[in-house]
Amino acid sequence: MPVSARAALVSLCFASVACGDNTGGTSGTDSGVTTVSPTTGTTATTQVPTTSDGSASEGSEAGSDSTPTTSMGTDTGPKLDVGAPDGEGACGCEFNYVWVANSAESTVSKINMETLVEEARYLTRADGMGNPSRTSVSLKGDVAVANRHGGLVKFYADIADCKDTNGVPGIQTSTGKNDVLPWDMEECRAWYIDFPTSNQRPVAWTQGQIQSGSCNTTGEKVWTVMSEKPGLFPGLGAPGGVIVSLVDGETGNIDKQITIPTFSGDSFGAYGGAVNLHGDLFFTPLGFLTPAKLARVYIDNFAYKIFDVPPEVGPYGITVDHNGRVWVSSNAIGQVGVGRFDPELETWDLVSGFFSGAGLAEGPGDMMWVSSNNGVNSVHIEDLTLGPVFNTQYFIKGVSFDAEGFMWAVNYAETDDADNPIEPELVMKVDVDALSVVGEYDGLNRPYTYSDFTGNALFNVSCNAPR
């Protein structure tokens, strides 16, 4: 989508009280689409939990859609090129970076979208053993990274925000791939939380409050989920539930935590997460764990719902479209490629015709792009018809989009018997109209990012005008 068109959408979003409201789902008529009704495919359990201090959570009844306490609106964060609400002037800001986790070396790369230069690389845990994967970008453009082996960290996108804290005059921060500073020297790390777990994967920013007519947001929060009990090995949990945390994005303090005993924290536990317009969190496990569940945690009162996922869908990637429906890519070989869940009707629509087993993201023209081991398939988010396919010889682990409508595709490089990469470890910039690569960066180290690593998914659910 051209930047000018996106600015128009943002201006419309500021002017509309119903900006981003859910419209509900419609079942497609394509032969590859199956609709699963609530009685045959979805079972919801609800609960109003207690907070981390043991007191009862205040707020609406579990599962209600009352007005949340966080203010949701348009995106005027300082990395976004948008027009001012009154149509005069512009913020002059844009999403500038792709944030890709290098799992093997416990770092995250900050790659400039225009120049395709890696401007910084940061350790995600002091001991270099975090094994990060999921990254999430806020409306300000800052990134939060979850370490599979435990720990959540935030980095500033704008060096002007970095704080002089290490005792050396000036700001000391990484300047590129080969300049990873020691933990105690890096000053663009905003905060780090050492979660006591051996398995932590989902991470997702909420919108916060948007300051109308500015490039500022306040009150941004970060969701993360970990296994309740540690497993025998790093990266794995043990039998028991999961612990959901809501973190203050500015301070790094944990605002609230709840334990969900009915969502298994065993093995890989919670695998991926995404938010809707209200800032509610949705998360799923890895697909081969059956029966799979979809959890929703309400940000206003920390009530939650647990839904059954149809057995044809083995969950892997997860995202929310601009109409508030949850999309789950399938890891179930030979069945469906992706499932769409309507949280209001509590129904699933299943789309067959391809295999996924990787990430997904909504792009321009109401198309959902679902990555796989031989390219990226597309599905229309309304009628669920199959669209163009971006073919490549690489195994695309994750996809995301930028403000101009380019798709960013992260390759999961295969390795030989000695654990050496036999494919380029790269991220590609793709023109989805021409289905061609227009740029790439080949300098990563075991990239394994397939969450919202550009911030566009959060923008989509926050400000993309309803159709």
Side-chain angles (χ1 to χ4, degrees), residues 135-222:
T135 65
S136 178
V137 180
S138 74
L139 295 184
K140 286 184 177 180
D142 300 327
V143 69
V145 186
N147 289 289
R148 291 186 182 102
H149 297 173
L152 182 70
V153 62
K154 170 187 171 180
F155 294 98
Y156 294 116
D158 190 345
I159 294 179
D161 294 329
C162 305
K163 307 295 191 297
D164 190 359
T165 58
N166 63 12
V168 179
I171 297 296
Q172 282 73 53
T173 187
S174 172
T175 58
K177 171 184 176 179
N178 299 315
D179 184 31
V180 180
L181 270 61
W183 185 258
D184 292 335
M185 291 299 295
E186 179 55 62
E187 292 182 315
C188 281
R189 184 179 64 256
W191 46 254
Y192 171 80
I193 308 174
D194 188 17
F195 282 90
T197 184
S198 60
N199 178 38
Q200 184 172 3
R201 283 174 165 82
V203 58
W205 281 95
T206 71
Q207 296 86 343
Q209 294 83 40
I210 313 300
Q211 296 181 8
S212 179
S214 74
C215 286
N216 298 317
T217 62
T218 59
E220 293 175 314
K221 309 291 183 182
V222 187

Side-chain angles (χ1 to χ4, degrees), residues 242-262:
V242 295
I243 299 175
V244 181
S245 301
L246 186 65
V247 176
D248 186 302
E250 180 65 26
T251 66
N253 296 326
I254 298 175
D255 283 353
K256 291 183 180 181
Q257 283 185 318
I258 58 167
T259 299
I260 302 181
T262 53

Side-chain angles (χ1 to χ4, degrees), residues 414-438:
E414 295 183 4
T415 57
D416 59 21
D417 292 339
D419 206 29
N420 297 310
I422 57 177
E423 293 180 358
E425 297 175 300
L426 53 79
V427 58
M428 297 180 288
K429 184 177 183 179
V430 179
D431 183 330
V432 292
D433 292 327
L435 298 175
S436 62
V437 177
V438 295

Side-chain angles (χ1 to χ4, degrees), residues 357-377:
L360 72 170
E362 183 180 353
D366 290 344
M367 300 301 292
M368 183 66 64
W369 291 81
V370 188
S371 51
S372 69
N373 60 353
N374 62 354
V376 189
N377 296 269

Side-chain angles (χ1 to χ4, degrees), residues 3-4 6-7 10 75 77-83 90-95 403:
V3 173
S4 58
R6 190 166 203 177
V10 175
D75 178 359
K79 298 298 178 289
L80 189 66
D81 189 354
V82 298
C91 293
C93 311
E94 58 184 19
F95 280 113

